[in-house]
Structures are given as structure tokens and as C-alpha cells.
Amino acid sequence: MKTRRHVAPPQRRRRLAAALTVAAVSSGAILVAQPALADTGGATDPWISQPADGVHRFTVPNSAVLAAVGTAPATVRVEGNFGPGHEMSLLNLDRSGNNWVANIGPLEPGQYYFQYEATIAGSETEVGFRNPDIPQTVTAQPTWSTFFVEGASAAWQADVPAGGELTTFTYDSVVQNGERSAQVWTPPSYDPDRAEPYPVLYLLQDSGQAYTEWTEVGRAAQILDNLTVEQQAEPMIVVMGDGTSSDVRTEVLDSLVPAVQEEFNASTDAADRAIAGIGRGATQALNLMVTDPGTFSKVGSFSGSLLTSISASRAAQVNAGTDLLRLYLGNVTDRSYNQNVALATKLGTAGVEFESDGSDPASGDVWETWQRALHDFAARVFTSPADHGMSEGHLALTEAHSLPAPGTTPTPWVEDNGVVTFETAEFATAKNVNVWANWGPSGGWLRIPMVRDGDRWRLTVGGLEGGSYYYRLTGDRVDRKDTGNPTVVNSEPNWSTFYVEGDTLRAQFTRDVAPEQRGEVTTMTYTSTANAQSRSAYVWTPPGYDADRAEPYPVLYLQHGSGQTWSDWIQVGRAAQILDNHYARGNIVPMVVVMSNGNGVDFPKEITDAIVPASLAAYNVSSDPEQRGLAGLSMGSGHALGTLWAKPGQFAYIGGFSAFSSPPANADVAAINAGTKLLSIYTGDMQDFTYQNTLSLVSAMESRGIVHEFNPPIPGPHSWDVWQKALIDFVPKLFKADTTSGIPVTASIAEGENGVLALTVADFGDGVALSAPQNAGDRLRLTGALPEVAVTDSRTAQQAGLGGWSVAAQAQAFTSAGRTIDAGHLGWTPRVLTPRDGLTAGDQVKTILDGGLGLAAPGELASANAAGRYGQAALAADLSLEVPVDIQPGQYTSVLSVSLFPVD
């Protein structure tokens, strides 16, 4: 960037930018290219690294902390826009030798701004600092630094080769009676001698910001570069002026605008002049629209307000002189939300014509909201857009937002669109109070500061992704339970839980189903092998569980981790909801799940001598090892695997989540393989502290010849987010015919001698090859077809009862050379080739790029009721693999497993 005064001749210099290359890909499957760390202020920050795809590591030397703070700190943190809705949040760093270290991620593509913060014990003073060896990048925030994470979803704000030019422009201010500065962006191929002058957009910053923050944090230059090179916006000059002035009207109209018109090839026609701003800057833009109608023909308000009244005559003048007035706003956490509701009412009552982009549900009054607003507004000024409605997914402003009166409801208060409010009357004398929860990327723990509100502390955040959450309150570094939340976690007395509705995988499988669809959770008491203690276990039985059924139910024994106990899978893991949802969708066979206490025992002895006998006595469960499963998380995975090594063949299905416990030298590999139908291993990513243990386990099993499946790592640390996803994936695999080898899949369920319910898949040769990728703008799409699936049902009415059948399928992740693309990128549209009454194709499964779950979760191909089940049915589906355009080329493969279920 260069600096110049407006009386000097124009000078130009191209801004350096990194090239973005899109390579060709082969069919079959492809991998999304992971983001790389951008430079900060033109220099790479050695305190930030990427130990794994999308995961960022902060490493701060203790010597630098001492230099910045002056004393040994109680805590060191990173404060950045990592939280839900890009809320400023605190990530704890842990002391490791001479450094303070923490990981976070995978981070979504976009701009990040942050500072380091140390807390001094006693005074609880929080001191912000940055790496002193990196140039200061945010003028108004000296301790802030920034970095950019590349990716398809942020391509519209990525660096552009040969983009426009950004200069610092100095001019004479009649208000200040001296020099002032502004930043000016000129478009690629800007021509100072072009016969047709360029239209001009003026941008004003919010209070507390510098005018340079538009580019330092907001990436305005990159947004404008991309719009221009993609021909989505008219080439224009964009002036980022300083709205901090005692008389902003005179500053803008009598100083800034004339200077820009003198120095640049800028149009003097009001029809070619636009103005917009953030917060205070938006209010200034709106005031100029009212006081000087027609001076700017296009006006944009980003989280702004208007305090002045508008008469009918002035409204007519505004309408005559304004071609476009468009309002932008974040969600209800935006501090100007109610002001914008009032603004829309005021404009409508006065008769002023305007457009509303509605409320952006993703974030509040943060740069991410304003970046999207600038992108939309700059594409509309000086063009004639066909669509004048709200951006996709935005919400109409219908009424002011209000919260319940303090102390009147349990907390937290959960609203639509992931908006959650916490409050507490604790910590009356504390200086710093936070909510510490698993709402960071992939379930990482982040603290968000609360704000004093009378005699209470309050915090409203949003929008949170759908799913289950757990949290605790901290005041001056002391943890406490939220006493306003009635939920209980026995193993963590300071924790509370809550659920947010949504469409994510965890949200769909951890939500409560209708009462009539729920299984029952009961408590089983048993005598432990540890000193004959009386212990407890939670037991989930499926809807319609029959204690007298002739055929005993298969049973899964599900274990907790270290520091946990038998109640955690229910109280935190929401295992009951996961099982309920799977059962309601027809994804699992009726089974019983026993969640017992594995602490302080010889577990192989405990499970076989105490837990299994107690469950056989209390519930109608099978004693056949082929109808038994054993799984657990962390320590519980060690228990499950230790039992497998010690007592092979006792449990045919084994699952390890965040797994360890390599096979001992004397393990009977032949017996293990012969007695195990499924050995499935899961782990978080490199943030999971057992990750290397899991890799060692898998390597050991491979070298020993132990048959197993190693599922792709689940993004996230050693946390319930990871373990819930593991359980969601694991339980549909239990107690079924082996389909792990992929298509072709054959499964049959015989019920008596005279009838059969069977599924076959047509010959598919070497596999299903998807088409070459087609560029669909924001994604590449590869298509194909599922081989024809045939279902034969010759059961008698007595055998089938009043039920029918259902066919579902689930895909594994696409893999190649250790790299993966989530199966959620694969969707389908089911079809019934033999239509008849009572036979119904399943719903279309959208990919994660369209807000769906893809076939990472089981998707229904078709179902038949009692009227439509009989005879033969031919089924098919159109497959679609959708990935972002910035992908890693390669040949990737997946396995699609198809299962048939009788439905009662």
C-alpha cells in the first residue's frame, strides 16, 4: 500500500497476492484442499503454525509473556473471533516447557483477528499483547493481529492476483483545518484518463474503529477485487474515509468528496455516488441522506440507526434523490437490532422507499456480518440487480427482540436460530466472569466473557450450531455450576447441559424424539467384583421392549471414560436420544444397551462375571456372544479392547472411541478374528490426546493380522462431540449381516419356512464410477447411479404381522493415501422402479454443501407398509458427490453399504 496527497500526480502499484490454482481432478471421489495459513502483516508469524489440516497451533514463548506482562501470569489465553457467530472468545494456553501452547480447529475459512491475553493473579487484571516481532496490522487495536484461512466458502474474500490498488490518500480538511487521510481502492485496470469517470462508493467506519479497519480486518480490498474480476460489480472507486469528526457532514461533503473528485477519475454525477457505513458510520450515512437528499444516490446501513425524524416532504425528497437504500443487520445479538426494527418502522411510516436484507442469523455486530453486507451492497450499487429481496437464509424483521426478566426462567434461555442467553447472580464481587463451553470449532472448549447487568451477569450468543452442549461458569478463574440450570452431570458437578435445535448430524441424532417413540431408560443394580460393591448401570430398552419375547434381544455394553461414570453416556453423551433417533428412523435393530460403571475394576473379569450376568437376570437379552457388543470411549475403549484380547469370542462386536490398548504379545489372533464380526476403531483428530495411541493401536493390529476397520478421524479433541459422532456411526453396524465389504450387498431375514424377506444388488462390475466433475459455480459435482436394488418379500401375513420393510444405506468416507473427504458430501435421490400403493421412495438426501447430512448418516432408499410389502420391488437412486471447487486432485474411493430391515 502506498501513501499520497491528493494534489500529487496519481501513482499506481500492484498489490502482491498469492495465486489460487484449481487443478483437474479424476472421477470417483475427490478431496477438499485444506486451508493454508496466510501471512500476517506481510510476515509469517512464528507463533502460529498448522500441525494438521485446518488445525492451528499457538505457541507463545514464556519469555515473551514475561516481557509483555512484567510478572508470571496466572493464565495465558488467545482472545479471537473463534466462538459461535464469530464471537470474541478465549482459548486457554497450557504451559509446555518454555512455551504456552494450544490448538484450535479445524477453523472455517475466513478472516481471524486475535490478541494474546495474560491474567495477573490477585488483581485479575487482563493484559493484552501481540507478537512484537510482527508488524502491527490493526491501527485501532494495537494488540491485535490477523490471519486469513483460505477455503471455498471464503473465496470471495481471498487475495486476487493483479487485483486493484490500495493507497493512503491525504487531503486538506476544512473541519480540522489541517490534513486528514483516507484509504482509496481503485479497481484492476483503473485508467485515470478513461473518458467515462468511475462511480464512487464512500465507506465510513464505526466508533472505536480506524478507517483502515475496512481493509485491515474487513478485507474490503479483497472483497472488491473478487467482485470486480468476477464481473459481479461495476468497476468503481471505493473511498474509506474517517468519520471521526466534530462535523462529519462538512468533512465529507466539503472536504473529502471534492478532494477525491480532484485527485481521481471520479464521477461528479450524484447518480454515480454511493455511501455506506458500520454502526456510527451507517448513522452518518443515513443522516446525510436525510439532510442532503440526492447527494448520494445509493445508501447502505450496516448495523446502523437514524435518530432524526423524517417529514412527509423530506421523505419525498429522499425518494426522489435516492435510487437505493438498503439496510443490513446481524442477528438478535447485534446491539442495533431493536434500533433497526424501529428504523424500518420509521422509514415505512414516513413513506421512504427502502430495501431490507433482513437479519443475518449467522452472526451479530461483528466483521463477518459486515463483510457479507459489503459484498452484497457493492454488487448492487451502480448495477441493476434483478433481485431486491433478502439474502438467502436471512430473516425478516418483524418485532423487537426482548429477553425474559432477570431471574424469571431456568438458564440458559434457548431461542430459535441458535441464540442462547445465560445469566447468573453468582460472582457478586468478581472482575471477570465467563461461560466456558464446548462451542469452539469441532467441540473445542472456549470461554466467552459475560457482562454485568445490575446484580447479575449476562451473556447472549448466537448462532450456535445445532447439537448438545455442556458448560460451566468461571468467575476470576474459579469454576461453578450454573445453579439456574436444573441439569446434572454426576461426574462433573460444575457442568450443566443444554440442547440447540438444528440440522447438523449431532443435532439430528441428539434431539428428543416424540414421547411415544422413546425407549425406556432404567437403572440396573449389580454386585461388582470389586469388594462386592453395589453398583449401578443405566439400561436403554427399545420402544416396544418385550420382557417375554421368545427371542432374546441383542445387547451392547457401552462404557465411559476415565474421570467419568456410568451416568455420563446419558447425562452428557445423550446416548438415549441417539438410540431413540436411530430406532425411529429404522437404522438399528431392536437391542438393549447397558451402560455400567467401569471404574477401579479388572474390567474383563467385571464384565463377564458381574455386568453380563446381572443384565441376563434383569433383562431379556441374549447370552449368545454373536448377539453381544462391547464398546467404550477412552478408558472404556481400553476396557473393550482389553476384554477382546483376554476373552476373544465373548463379544462379537467391538468398538473403540479415542481408542488405545494394543494387543499383547500373547493375544490369540486366530481366536480374535474368528470370534469377532466387527472391530471398529474411531478417534478425534490430532487434537485428541489419544490420537497417537489410536494410530499405534491400528498399526499393531495391522502388523498382527487382526481384522478391523479404522474409521476416518473425526475432527475435534478428546470430547463428547467426537464420541457422539462415533456412537451415531457405530450402532447401525451392530447385529446385522456383514456389509463392510461394500456393494454387492446381500442380506436375508428368514421368518419361518414358507416366507423370506431378502435383498439383492445388481451386478456392478468393478464398482460405481462417478462422472467427471462438472463445475457448478460454487462446487464440483460428480454423478452416478446406484446399482438396482431388489427386495423380495414372500412372508405370510402371520410372519410379517402388520409391518413391512425398509431399505437404508450409509457411505464411508472417501479415502486415498490417508486423506479423506467426509461422506456427507455424497447425496442421492431415491427412485422406485416398480411403483405400487404402499411402496414409497425415501426422501432426497442433500449433501452438506446444501445444508444436509449426506450419506454420512443412514439414508432411506425406500420403505413398504403392510399393503405394499409383498412381492418384488426394484429400487434405484441417482448419486451426487458435491465438493468445493478448491480440491486436491486424486482418485478416491468409498464403500456404500445397503441394509434391509423388517418393520414391525
Side-chain angles (χ1 to χ4, degrees), residues 110-425:
Q111 177 83 333
Y112 289 87
Y113 38 100
F114 67 97
Q115 68 171 351
Y116 301 99
E117 179 184 283
T119 303
I120 300 175
S123 69
E124 299 304 317
T125 303
E126 296 176 336
V127 180
F129 63 98
R130 62 179 175 84
N131 185 343
D133 297 327
I134 297 300
Q136 181 178 333
T137 55
V138 184
T139 301
Q141 302 288 344
T143 59
W144 281 18
S145 299
T146 64
F147 64 88
F148 182 70
V149 177
E150 295 181 351
S153 62
W156 54 278
Q157 50 179 300
D159 289 335
V160 174
E165 182 182 16
L166 187 65
T167 60
T168 296
F169 168 60
T170 302
Y171 63 95
D172 292 325
S173 167
V174 297
V175 176
Q176 190 163 306
N177 194 26
E179 289 188 344
R180 286 177 70 87
S181 297
Q183 280 193 329
V184 178
W185 176 88
T186 49
S189 302
Y190 167 74
D191 182 359
D193 301 316
R194 193 177 80 165
E196 181 183 357
Y198 291 84
V200 185
L201 167 61
Y202 292 85
L203 297 175
L204 300 175
Q205 86 277 26
D206 197 0
S207 58
Q209 297 176 345
Y211 64 90
T212 52
E213 206 160 323
W214 281 104
T215 54
E216 294 168 340
V217 181
R219 297 186 73 83
Q222 289 89 343
I223 293 171
L224 297 164
D225 284 345
N226 280 280
L227 284 171
T228 304
V229 300
E230 294 291 337
Q231 298 184 352
Q232 297 178 13
E234 180 72 16
M236 68 184 84
I237 297 169
V238 179
V239 180
M240 288 152 276
D242 190 349
T244 304
S245 174
S246 60
D247 185 354
V248 72
R249 177 180 178 275
T250 301
E251 181 69 41
V252 172
L253 299 185
D254 296 346
S255 297
L256 182 58
V257 171
V260 169
Q261 291 174 169
E262 181 180 351
E263 177 69 7
F264 296 90
N265 187 10
S267 175
T268 59
D269 188 347
D272 292 333
R273 195 181 300 130
I275 190 168
I278 300 168
R280 181 196 64 185
T283 300
Q284 292 168 341
L286 293 168
N287 284 336
L288 286 170
M289 177 191 72
V290 175
T291 59
D292 297 85
T295 304
F296 299 92
S297 63
K298 288 86 176 172
V299 180
S301 170
F302 307 168
S303 301
S305 61
L306 180 63
L307 302 180
T308 61
S309 60
I310 307 175
S311 65
S313 60
R314 184 50 58 96
Q317 293 175 314
V318 169
N319 290 338
T322 309
D323 299 331
L324 172 66
L325 168 58
R326 191 167 174 90
L327 310 182
Y328 298 86
L329 180 65
N331 60 27
V332 296
T333 68
D334 190 323
R335 288 166 292 183
S336 70
Y337 187 89
N338 287 349
Q339 292 175 326
N340 270 262
V341 174
L343 171 61
T345 301
K346 178 184 290 187
L347 294 174
T349 300
V352 175
E353 298 170 358
F354 72 97
E355 298 176 0
S356 173
D357 199 48
S359 169
D360 185 341
S363 50
D365 47 347
V366 294
W367 269 109
E368 287 70 25
T369 298
W370 304 324
Q371 287 171 328
R372 291 188 289 268
L374 176 62
H375 186 263
D376 182 85
F377 187 68
R380 293 176 180 275
V381 296
F382 318 126
T383 63
S384 300
D387 180 13
H388 297 276
M390 297 185 296
S391 297
E392 184 177 359
H394 284 203
L395 307 172
L397 298 182
T398 56
E399 59 184 12
H401 177 257
S402 62
L403 293 171
T408 60
T409 68
T411 62
W413 179 259
V414 181
E415 302 180 67
D416 294 337
N417 307 304
V419 176
V420 182
T421 298
F422 302 82
E423 71 169 41
T424 180

Side-chain angles (χ1 to χ4, degrees), residues 560-564 599 633-636:
H560 59 84
S562 176
Q564 301 172 356
N599 289 314
L633 68 91
S634 194
M635 180 186 76

